[in-house]
Amino acid sequence: AQSVTQPDIHITVSEGASLELRCNYSYGATPYLFWYVQSPGQGLQLLLKYFSGDTLVQGIKGFEAEFKRSQSSFNLRKPSVHWSDAAEYFCAVGSYSGAGSYQLTFGKGTKLSVIP
Amino acid sequence: KAGVTQTPRYLIKTRGQQVTLSCSPISGHRSVSWYQQTPGQGLQFLFEYFSETQRNKGNFPGRFSGRQFSNSRSEMNVSTLELGDSALYLCASSSGLGPGAFFGQGTRLTVV
């Protein structure tokens, strides 16, 4: 069965500093990988996704992520964090469930706090 | 292009009651999935509907059910509510032809 691990429950960074959020997955086949962001009381917004091809993917809001098959990782990065990036970030793996259906399995999330 | 719309945004129900949540997907999307989000369990997949048929189901009791209409709008029903059903219920919309989805704002259900 597939699983996603986000080792860091809470990360605090200063505004302007770089950011890396870690994600490790377990999935038997080629993974479909996603990063979502959730602001308090809101739904999930898709930041970026990886299906195949270039292992470095660019997303919205200046985020990027790198797929490393050998490490089963899909870490999210941003070179300079803004105060508005404070939110909770979820890594997810999309797996095929049969009958044309895919489902997302999420990590527990990493809460990002930004110090002005 | 309108996003995923979930109604209502907030609900308070009493134990033992039942509740119906609604989700209107992005225009043209035929797949609607439902997820439950709680502080303890995180985000968990409930079920997926595609072209009015349940195509996939997560590991939840039969009290949780859903349906999808011909216009792709979906409803989720929870019967005999328990305190543990208090959660944010998220609806996800997609074409249904691959992984990944766009989420709505969610319905916050509180069971008292």
Side-chain angles (χ1 to χ4, degrees):
Chain A
Q2 63 278 3
S3 65
V4 178
T5 301
Q6 294 180 248
D8 304 305
I9 296 173
H10 191 185
I11 284 182
T12 300
V13 301
S14 297
E15 192 169 17
S18 63
L19 171 70
E20 182 169 27
L21 302 182
R22 296 182 292 163
C23 172
N24 293 97
Y25 68 89
S26 173
Y27 185 55
T30 301
Y32 302 102
L33 296 163
F34 304 83
W35 275 100
Y36 286 89
V37 61
Q38 185 178 39
S39 297
Q42 301 298 310
L44 300 173
Q45 182 181 22
L46 178 65
L47 286 174
L48 48 78
K49 61 187 177 185
Y50 171 79
F51 285 6
S52 64
D54 193 347
T55 56
L56 185 63
V57 293
Q58 303 297 320
I60 62 171
K61 304 185 179 186
F63 286 93
E64 66 178 26
E66 186 172 13
F67 170 59
K68 292 186 177 179
R69 184 184 299 274
S70 61
Q71 298 177 21
S72 297
S73 69
F74 189 56
N75 294 349
L76 182 71
R77 300 194 294 246
K78 187 170 185 178
S80 177
V81 170
H82 188 262
W83 64 265
S84 60
D85 293 325
E88 192 156 18
Y89 292 78
F90 293 91
C91 180
V93 61
S95 58
Y96 184 65
S97 304
S101 177
Y102 292 83
Q103 71 183 71
L104 294 172
T105 300
F106 288 87
K108 294 292 190 184
T110 297
K111 184 176 181 180
L112 174 65
S113 297
V114 181
I115 301 172
Chain B
K1 194 173 185 181
V4 183
T5 304
Q6 291 189 245
T7 56
R9 289 293 310 276
Y10 303 93
L11 269 176
I12 300 176
K13 290 287 187 179
T14 304
R15 258 184 314 176
Q17 287 186 314
Q18 74 167 15
V19 68
T20 299
L21 314 181
S22 180
C23 172
S24 292
I26 293 169
S27 178
H29 281 186
R30 295 164 62 191
S31 168
V32 173
S33 297
W34 290 88
Y35 290 80
Q36 181 196 63
Q37 185 178 25
T38 60
Q41 299 299 316
L43 283 149
Q44 294 184 284
F45 172 76
L46 280 155
F47 32 64
E48 183 215 3
Y49 284 85
F50 179 78
S51 294
E52 302 179 65
T53 301
Q54 187 181 88
R55 195 163 65 166
N56 192 8
K57 190 177 190 310
N59 189 25
F60 277 81
R63 299 186 297 107
F64 292 81
S65 63
R67 58 178 176 170
Q68 187 179 33
F69 302 95
S70 58
N71 62 356
S72 293
R73 188 178 71 87
S74 176
E75 289 182 346
M76 190 192 95
N77 185 76
V78 188
S79 62
T80 319
L81 283 165
E82 301 176 359
L83 296 179
D85 297 332
S86 294
L88 181 66
Y89 290 89
L90 292 164
C91 166
S93 165
S94 79
S95 65
L97 303 178
F102 297 93
F103 284 79
Q105 299 281 61
T107 294
R108 171 73 63 184
L109 172 65
T110 302
V111 182
V112 297

